[in-house]
Amino acid sequence: MPGAIPNPLRSELDRRLPRIAGPSVLVLFGVTGDLARKKLLPAIYDLANRGLLPPGFGLVGFARRDWEDQDFAAQAHEAVREHARTPFREDVWRQLSEGVRFVSGELNDDAAFDELARTVRALDADRGTGGNYAFYLSLPPKLFPTVVKQLKRSNLAESEDGAWRRVIIEKPFGHDLESARELNAVVDDVFPPQSVFRIDHYLGKETVQNIMALRFANTLFEPLWNRNYVDHVQITMAEDIGVGGRAGYYDGIGAARDVIQNHLLQLLALVAMEEPVTFSADSIRTEKQKVLEAVELPEDLATGTARGQYAAGWQGGMYVPGYLEEEGIPANSITETYAALKLGVNSRRWAGVPFYLRTGKRLGRRVTEVALVFQRAPHQVFSSVDVEDLGQNSLVLRIQPDEGVTLRFGSKVPGASMEVRDVTMDFAYGQSFTEASPEAYERLILDVLIGDPPLFPRQEEVELSWQILDPIEEYWAKEGRPEQYEAGTWGPQSGHELLARDGRQWRRP
Amino acid sequence: MTLYLPRTTTSQISEALTAERHSVGGGALNMVLTLIVVTDEADHYDAVRAATEAGREHPSRILALIRRDPDAEPAIDAEIRRPGTAGPGEALLLRLYGPLGDHPGSVVTPLLVPDAPVVAWWPGIGPANPSADPVGRLAHRRITDALRAADPVADLLNRIRNYQPGDTDLTWTRLTPWRSLLASTMDQPCGWVNGAEVTAEPRYPSADLLVAWLADQLEVRVERTTSNGPGITGARLVTEQGDINLQRYDGRVATLTRPNQPDQTVALARRRPAEALAEELRRLDADEIYERTAKFMAAMLDRTEEPV
Ligand SMILES: NC(=O)c1ccc[n+]([C@@H]2O[C@H](COP(=O)([O-])OP(=O)(O)OC[C@H]3O[C@@H](n4cnc5c(N)ncnc54)[C@H](OP(=O)(O)O)[C@@H]3O)[C@@H](O)[C@H]2O)c1
């Protein structure tokens, strides 16, 4: 039997065998950063520990530090011990760390990149990494052009004999349509579109992938999943923290660009899309793209959007400063820390069903969820007094932190009278499935190394999202200062009015 | 919290479980399966521990059936470990006295989690015909472990003759890391495979399963050679371009050698019972590759035993 395609040792029926990445080198830029330490290095170890990395795997760190290989290995070791999700096993770590290298230098330093090229080629020779390289740019996006140009100049971007090159970039993908296109042009110039992996870590979450399972694997929900039954949809991503150490990045960007453009619009796309023809990357992305194209802005941006800025207040038993008092934020900043939008989706399925999106910092608690709120029963046999406590039925997809699904419906209150009140039926991931479910970054890094793209948004989706957001940002820029809201509450008055105007209200998540 | 119900009945046990649910909420509704562990006094501690650990990934109601003195009066002693005591699942240790030991189905039936799949596991010596066993009959999936028998290979062969969909053996589960590594070596282009060899300690059924799997999938002759172990110590694919060789002498770290490539080491630890069990619980449908491989192995060994 010959090797390679199709591999005779693999069979669709053999579901015990996991997908394992092929021999490759992951080159990590920005290894000293927060993301690398808290998420990426631990995720790489967890993958190795689960046996999903190949024996021929190399990890190269690049940073402006005067480090040797072992210094970087020590840093990585510490990050792994502190943040990895699977237990630490010396054998796994030792085997992984044999493939760890470090290259020191500035990003504009030709010599450092030549050294990087030598290092990865040496790994190919010493470790059998097969000439396949993935470049993870965990850097501020303004540095992307420099890195990409360097990769091209040092011939690292080119592959020979069927080896692959992949580049992984983190959000933000620009701050408006134009900058997103510019950024893309820089990367596109050197790497073909199918080699560019844009990370939206939300899409790596089990609960987000479960949206598709819930919708398309069941018969129970899909018949209700349309304008005939759904009154409106609420998508919330709330944080309880303030801007903290991200002041420099956050100011001038704001809540909408930081969260709505990527995470919330991706969630909207997954909730609103039609069933893909197959579960392949292209079919899923095509359906998502159709939804984003069909998104419609409110006619009047003044009444169809809301924004706010947190003011000082008591939150979770602590007094916290307002946004304008945070370190590194100019006292006259007009950046919003809360944003809410009302969007429509122009399709037969959703015409007339508003999608309310909101996100903010220093809100009541940390929670991300999607709620489908159903219409009231068209006719009630029970008297209005009996159903006074009955709200609208709803289906809540809890994305984080308490992952699961909740169904709210009315039930009789025990007793002699026919009183109906809301109860919930609950499915909690943590209880019904693994507490050791993989972290989003594990899944995404593995997908990159395998070359499996469904969970990564393509450039078209990024551009469509900016097309949705840009007019709103322009409108807000003219409006001056956002409304203040007290830290620890559920946002500004205008946010509540956005729904109140339509006779609705936000769920308290 | 552990609750002891000496000399009890299944309806008292059910009541205790329901009372629990009313006072705390949740309970059995969050369990994804019932895991029946058929064991004895000597084995039950390790078995329940492994099951509880696997239950972190698959919250289960664990029913451990421990057979006691067959000549005593029929009776059940129950010990209920509630959810949260040891992971998200709950464990019921049921000691069966007297003739009750021959009718475990009657004890188990009222205690199964509604609708959820039932898995039976014999951590010790399992029945020769699992699907005909009184507990096995109730289960969708039946997990045995041939390695515990005095003659493991004969034990496994015996059971393969009675194979029914849903049967599986931990000697197959322990093989997954080896199979997964071998499969990944062939994800890359390599020469035509002309033969293979598997080296392991004697009387180690996983090795024979590996031989069968390779021979069946690659359609080549596979040698089985013996070493001092532990477990499987090597697997070699003979290709036109040279050997792809995976060697593990210490039960922990393996070395992969292939033509024109530097040697590579990879952590390949022997699996603990909880890890193997957790893998079994991940998929509850019949394992067609196991069936095929096991039958292939049986045919192969029958052939070699025939007089020439
Ligand atoms: N942290 C998160 O949770 C998160 C979430 C989503 C997206 N992201 C994105 O992920 C990327 C990395 O995030 P992060 O939080 O790790 O950022 P970070 O903590 O600010 O780290 C950025 C990295 O870039 C390096 N760097 C900065 N300026 C440089 C320069 N002029 N020359 C060379 N290196 C430079 C830093 O190295 P030095 O130590 O030498 O300065 C550091 O290693 C960013 O694109 C960010 O937008 C992060």
Side-chain angles (χ1 to χ4, degrees), chain A residues 30-36 64-65 107 138-141 143 170-172:
Chain A
V31 284
T32 55
D34 222 34
L35 184 71
R64 42 184 183 174
R65 290 284 190 290
L107 296 173
S138 177
L139 295 167
L143 301 174
E170 274 282 348
K171 71 162 207 190

Side-chain angles (χ1 to χ4, degrees), chain B residues 60-239:
Chain B
S60 336
R61 174 177 287 173
I62 299 162
L63 302 177
L65 303 180
I66 302 162
R67 208 168 161 178
R68 296 292 296 257
D69 184 4
D71 299 322
E73 285 294 299
I76 309 174
D77 278 353
E79 185 180 328
I80 304 178
R81 295 186 191 158
R82 293 163 169 169
T85 316
E90 64 192 350
L92 278 69
L93 274 60
L94 306 171
R95 292 185 166 79
L96 310 183
Y97 293 86
L100 207 48
D102 294 327
H103 304 280
S106 73
V107 178
V108 165
T109 304
L111 298 177
L112 300 177
V113 176
D115 276 346
V118 178
V119 179
W121 175 37
W122 290 266
I125 295 171
N129 188 351
S131 58
D133 176 271
V135 171
R137 257 203 310 263
L138 299 171
H140 303 86
R141 201 160 175 99
R142 296 165 292 273
I143 306 169
T144 49
D145 188 357
L147 205 55
R148 292 292 297 268
D151 184 346
V153 178
D155 184 61
L156 185 61
L157 282 177
N158 228 343
R159 211 167 283 129
I160 291 170
R161 290 203 187 94
N162 298 319
Y163 176 87
Q164 288 297 321
D167 287 2
T168 178
D169 197 277
L170 291 184
T171 55
W172 172 245
T173 325
R174 291 191 193 98
L175 201 53
T176 307
W178 278 91
R179 294 199 303 122
S180 146
L181 257 177
L182 285 169
S184 75
T185 64
M186 288 190 68
D187 283 338
Q188 305 155 54
C190 64
W192 193 273
V193 181
N194 293 318
E197 181 188 29
V198 173
T199 311
E201 64 184 74
R203 302 205 299 178
Y204 196 70
S206 298
D208 299 298
L209 284 167
L210 185 56
V211 167
W213 180 64
L214 290 172
D216 183 23
Q217 304 294 329
L218 298 173
E219 297 168 19
V220 295
R221 222 181 114 74
V222 184
E223 300 283 335
R224 161 81 163 94
T225 49
T226 49
S227 67
N228 291 328
I232 299 177
T233 52
R236 191 162 63 96
L237 303 176
V238 183
T239 83

Side-chain angles (χ1 to χ4, degrees), chain A residues 1 14-16 95 127 431, chain B residues 59 179 193 265 285 287:
Chain A
M1 268 279 149
D14 198 345
R15 281 173 299 201
R16 287 175 195 261
Q95 192 274 326
R127 302 267 305 163
Q431 278 168 338
Chain B
R179 294 199 303 122
V193 181
T265 56
D285 47 350
D287 183 344

Side-chain angles (χ1 to χ4, degrees), chain A residues 49-61:
Chain A
N49 200 10
R50 294 182 205 269
L52 303 178
L53 292 183
F57 178 76
L59 172 66
V60 181

Side-chain angles (χ1 to χ4, degrees), chain A residues 207-277:
Chain A
T207 32
V208 172
Q209 293 165 45
N210 192 39
I211 295 176
M212 285 189 275
L214 183 101
R215 290 192 54 194
F216 303 128
N218 297 302
T219 51
L220 187 55
F221 304 108
E222 200 55 22
L224 308 179
W225 213 268
N226 56 53
R227 66 187 305 272
N228 297 337
Y229 295 94
V230 176
D231 178 68
H232 69 281
V233 179
Q234 301 185 6
I235 305 180
T236 301
M237 177 179 155
E239 290 176 287
D240 53 3
I241 52 169
V243 67
R246 289 180 74 210
Y249 161 72
Y250 196 82
D251 195 61
I253 294 291
R257 289 192 181 103
D258 190 36
V259 173
I260 295 186
Q261 181 269 335
N262 36 60
H263 307 322
L264 294 198
L265 286 176
Q266 285 288 330
L267 283 178
L268 179 144
L270 288 170
V271 169
M273 74 183 190
E274 297 299 317
E275 184 169 75
V277 179

